[in-house]
Amino acid sequence: KQEVTQIPAALSVPEGENLVLNCSFTDSAIYNLQWFRQDPGKGLTSLLLIQSSQREQTSGRLNASLDKSSGRSTLYIAASQPGDSATYLCALDWGNKLTFGTGTQLKVEL
Amino acid sequence: DAMVIQNPRYQVTQFGKPVTLSCSQTLNHNVMYWYQQKSSQAPKLLFHYYDKDFNNEADTPDNFQSRRPNTSFCFLDIRSPGLGDAAMYLCATSRGRTGAGQETQYFGPGTRLLVL
């Protein structure tokens, strides 16, 4: 069964900290992995997409890595800001649809 | 510059009263998706259209139907809403199908459905 797990479910950090969000999955035969951001009561915004053949992608202060052999992806956020507060979801494409994790709710405090 | 538009943003309906949610896109994408997201849960795919080709997920209840009259619009019809159908409904689009390589999905802001 193809499952996606995100731990922790919630995380609170002070402004300026570097942090890592985790995503683990059970089947390494993926096409790609995406990280999304969801603000309260809003839709999802795609942050980064990593193809199966890639190891990482970077966009500004965000860096996402992919290790298929261990079934893990991480989203690294550098120098966190209060505006980064949101829920971050990873989603895997196993060739038929996106399967989402339940997300990590991040709060960056002043 | 809105690319995926969902109307209304909030919808209140009565138990058993049919309701229709609307999604439109300006991206001219081939694929449109409907997801259901309950509180603190992951989005769950209900169905998708590839052009006019309708693809239903095996575990989507019969109570949920969809229509895509043209490339730009897609509707979600809930024939007899129950209390358990209260959720955020997200519409998304992509140029091609998942599994095709680099297919990012673009999401609308969602419609929050409340069933009384």
Side-chain angles (χ1 to χ4, degrees), chain A residues 31-32 34 36 38 41-44 46 49 51 89 93 95-98 100-102, chain B residues 9 35 37 40 42-43 45 57 88 90 98-99 101-105 107-109 112:
Chain A
Y31 281 84
N32 62 56
Q34 294 186 56
F36 289 87
Q38 186 173 31
K42 301 288 181 62
L44 280 67
S46 181
L49 183 150
Q51 296 294 337
L89 299 98
D93 179 2
N96 50 5
K97 63 181 180 183
L98 286 184
F100 286 83
T102 52
Chain B
R9 295 292 310 279
Y35 291 86
Q37 185 180 25
S40 300
L45 183 64
E57 291 300 301
M88 174 77 89
L90 298 165
T98 57
Q102 295 180 286
E103 299 307 335
T104 297
Q105 291 190 15
F107 282 79
R112 184 167 294 281

Side-chain angles (χ1 to χ4, degrees), chain B residues 72-88:
Chain B
S72 300
F73 284 87
C74 194
F75 300 99
L76 169 62
D77 300 310
I78 308 176
R79 292 192 298 186
S80 181
L83 298 179
D85 296 327
M88 174 77 89

Side-chain angles (χ1 to χ4, degrees), chain A residues 24-88:
Chain A
S24 59
F25 47 94
T26 55
D27 182 348
S28 63
I30 64 172
Y31 281 84
N32 62 56
L33 181 149
Q34 294 186 56
W35 282 94
F36 289 87
R37 168 183 173 142
Q38 186 173 31
D39 292 285
K42 301 288 181 62
L44 280 67
T45 301
S46 181
L47 298 173
L48 291 163
L49 183 150
I50 310 177
Q51 296 294 337
S52 174
S53 58
Q54 297 174 323
R55 298 278 298 182
E56 65 177 343
Q57 282 287 333
T58 297
S59 176
R61 293 183 293 110
L62 306 179
N63 175 276
S65 69
L66 174 63
D67 183 347
K68 290 194 302 179
S69 63
S70 65
R72 294 186 63 185
S73 175
T74 61
L75 179 66
Y76 175 83
I77 303 177
S80 58
Q81 303 170 358
D84 295 329
S85 298
T87 297
Y88 292 81

Side-chain angles (χ1 to χ4, degrees), chain B residues 28-92:
Chain B
N28 203 33
H29 280 172
N30 293 315
V31 193
M32 295 187 77
Y33 309 82
W34 279 105
Y35 291 86
Q36 179 192 64
Q37 185 180 25
K38 295 187 177 181
S39 181
S40 300
Q41 294 186 20
K44 177 180 177 298
L45 183 64
L46 296 173
F47 27 58
H48 75 274
Y49 272 95
Y50 184 84
D51 287 335
K52 296 181 180 180
D53 181 25
F54 178 70
N55 298 270
N56 198 31
E57 291 300 301
D59 55 355
T60 298
D62 292 340
N63 198 25
F64 291 86
Q65 304 285 323
S66 186
R67 296 171 284 135
R68 190 178 186 186
N70 54 52
T71 300
S72 300
F73 284 87
C74 194
F75 300 99
L76 169 62
D77 300 310
I78 308 176
R79 292 192 298 186
S80 181
L83 298 179
D85 296 327
M88 174 77 89
Y89 289 88
L90 298 165
C91 174

